[in-house]
Amino acid sequence: VLERPLLKRSVTFVKKIVTELDKVLLLFDSGATSKTLFEDSFRGNNTINLGGVLAEVQLIEPYALWQQQVLSAKKSGYNAIFIGLFHTIRDESGKHVKASEVLAWTSKHSPVPVFGFWSFSVGENKAAGGLVLAGEHQGIEAAQMIKSITSGTAVNRIRPRVVAEGRFIFSRAEVAKHQLVIPESIALISTWVD
């Protein structure tokens, strides 16, 4: 069961929250997982149209470049930032920057709302929210694959699967900071943190 962010669905749901959403920045580190996601989801293109919204992905290793992209997001025409993985960011001396530091700095300095794809990235001094991947959905998918095997399906006939479901999670503090209004239909089925 492959872990892939729910890119299109995430952008579609954010269109209901950020009133004028026509261009978003997707920030990822330059680690192997991010590169694989980039190739799979973007097929090597830096931009893609997701439900009428232009999404541009940046794979970044230097912390200074990450910071520059965040600080200039609004001037560059982005209405929101989606943060993917940020665990292999390095400073100017080549030292690893803690993921928690990258996340907190991004939240504090972003001129536009920040959204995430994984629950660990949502909370106060983190992303405002997201349609995040949920481990329970991946577990259900894996159990169905195991059930197929125990029912006689040859393992080599089972293709890798990607879970299409997620769950909404929001930070009260970050939603308030960016003055976001979460539609009631989404708010009622969301998990709220902090």
Side-chain angles (χ1 to χ4, degrees):
V1 180
L2 304 174
E3 185 179 29
R4 296 289 184 261
L6 305 169
L7 296 172
K8 187 173 183 178
R9 290 186 59 211
S10 292
V11 171
T12 300
F13 112 76
V14 168
K15 282 174 68 172
K16 297 175 182 179
I17 297 169
V18 177
T19 53
E20 294 184 25
L21 189 72
D22 52 16
K23 188 177 177 186
V24 298
L25 176 61
L26 284 75
L27 284 177
F28 286 83
D29 62 22
S30 62
T33 303
S34 294
K35 288 177 182 174
T36 300
L37 289 171
F38 175 68
E39 289 301 322
D40 287 353
S41 299
F42 285 80
R43 292 173 179 53
N45 297 311
N46 280 44
T47 58
I48 188 170
N49 187 308
L50 297 172
V53 176
L54 181 65
E56 182 176 329
V57 67
Q58 297 285 328
L59 300 180
I60 297 174
E61 182 175 335
Y63 192 34
L65 181 57
W66 180 283
Q67 292 171 314
Q68 177 187 345
Q69 291 295 319
V70 170
L71 292 172
S72 65
K74 191 170 190 170
K75 288 179 187 172
S76 298
Y78 299 111
N79 311 107
I81 294 174
F82 285 82
I83 49 171
L85 299 172
F86 42 89
H87 299 82
T88 64
I89 302 292
R90 300 196 175 278
D91 66 16
E92 62 280 349
S93 65
K95 289 180 63 178
H96 174 260
V97 180
K98 289 182 182 179
S100 59
E101 180 182 332
V102 174
L103 187 54
W105 186 94
T106 302
S107 173
K108 181 177 181 180
H109 293 94
S110 179
V112 296
V114 177
F115 297 91
F117 297 115
W118 286 274
S119 60
F120 61 76
S121 65
V122 177
E124 188 170 7
N125 301 316
K126 297 179 180 181
L131 176 60
V132 302
L133 293 171
E136 60 266 23
H137 295 130
Q138 292 174 309
I140 290 168
E141 192 68 34
Q144 290 173 346
M145 292 168 76
I146 291 168
K147 187 176 178 182
S148 293
I149 294 168
T150 59
S151 296
T153 302
V155 173
N156 63 353
R157 298 202 62 217
I158 297 176
R159 308 285 303 149
R161 296 183 189 172
V162 176
V163 175
E165 291 185 55
R167 63 184 170 98
F168 294 108
I169 183 170
F170 292 99
S171 162
R172 287 180 178 87
E174 296 300 314
V175 165
K177 179 172 90 175
H178 290 285
Q179 300 175 357
L180 301 173
V181 177
I182 311 303
E184 187 175 356
S185 60
I186 294 174
L188 290 174
I189 59 170
S190 298
T191 300
W192 290 81
V193 297
D194 61 60

